[in-house]
Amino acid sequence: MVHPSVPPAAFQPSLSAPRHRAVLVAGIAISIALGLASRRWPGVLFPEALGKYPGDALWALMVMFGWACLRPRMAAGRLALLALATSFAVEFSQLYQAPWINAIRSTTPGHLVLGSRFGAMDLVAYAVGVAFGLGLDGLYGAWLRRRNGNQASAARAN
C-alpha cells in the first residue's frame, strides 16, 4: 500500500528521458488540423452524431500537447490536470459576456482560442481529449522504454 503522503506514480516527475518537443509540436499541428477538419467536414472524420465535440476533445488534446511542450519532464497526471484546468477555465470564461471580449471572440483566432458560449457538454469533451492524451503519453513512454531497452541490449551484445 502506498503511504497517503506519497503521490501516485502518475503525479511524480519523470526521471526518464523527457518528451521530445518535435513530437509534441507535431501533435499540436495534427490536433489542430484534425480539429479544424472535424468542424469543416462534419461526418467525414468522425460520426456526424458526435457534432462539434470531437473538435472540442482535440482542442483539449492540443492544450495538453502545448503544456507538455513547455514542461517536457512533467508527470503525465500533472499535465492532464493542467490541460483540464486550462480547458475548463477557457470554457467557464465564456460565461463572461462583455463587449470587449465578445469583440475578440468574434474574430476567427479569438473564436478558435476562446470559443463563444458556455456548454457543459464541452467539459466532457475536454475530459475525453485529455484522457486520450494520457493514453498517447503512456504508449509513447512504453515505446521509448522498449526502444531504449533494445538499444541497451544491442550495445551489451556488441
Side-chain angles (χ1 to χ4, degrees):
M1 182 167 146
V2 177
H3 190 272
S5 66
V6 177
F11 291 94
Q12 294 175 351
S14 171
L15 300 178
S16 62
R19 295 165 185 90
H20 293 97
R21 283 193 171 102
V23 173
L24 296 167
V25 169
I28 290 169
I30 290 168
S31 344
I32 290 171
L34 289 174
L36 291 173
S38 75
R39 296 288 177 97
R40 174 100 174 163
W41 300 290
V44 174
L45 294 176
F46 302 98
E48 201 164 344
L50 294 177
K52 70 181 194 78
Y53 299 113
D56 291 346
L58 287 160
W59 188 87
L61 177 63
M62 182 224 30
V63 170
M64 187 168 175
F65 284 141
W67 279 117
C69 202
L70 293 173
R71 303 295 305 243
R73 289 189 182 269
M74 185 177 275
R78 288 181 187 225
L79 278 174
L81 288 176
L82 194 53
L84 273 179
T86 303
S87 301
F88 280 30
V90 169
E91 188 66 27
F92 280 106
S93 77
Q94 295 168 15
L95 293 171
Y96 179 69
Q97 299 288 321
W100 69 271
I101 198 159
N102 287 339
I104 295 170
R105 289 179 182 138
S106 69
T107 66
T108 299
H111 181 73
L112 291 173
V113 173
L114 299 175
S116 56
R117 59 185 171 82
F118 178 82
M121 284 301 295
D122 292 351
L123 302 174
V124 174
Y126 298 151
V128 168
V130 169
F132 186 73
L134 276 173
L136 288 176
D137 190 73
L139 289 172
Y140 182 70
W143 176 79
L144 280 178
R145 286 188 297 278
R146 186 171 44 251
R147 186 190 71 168
N148 292 341
N150 289 343
Q151 288 175 352
S153 296
R156 283 192 300 268
N158 291 331

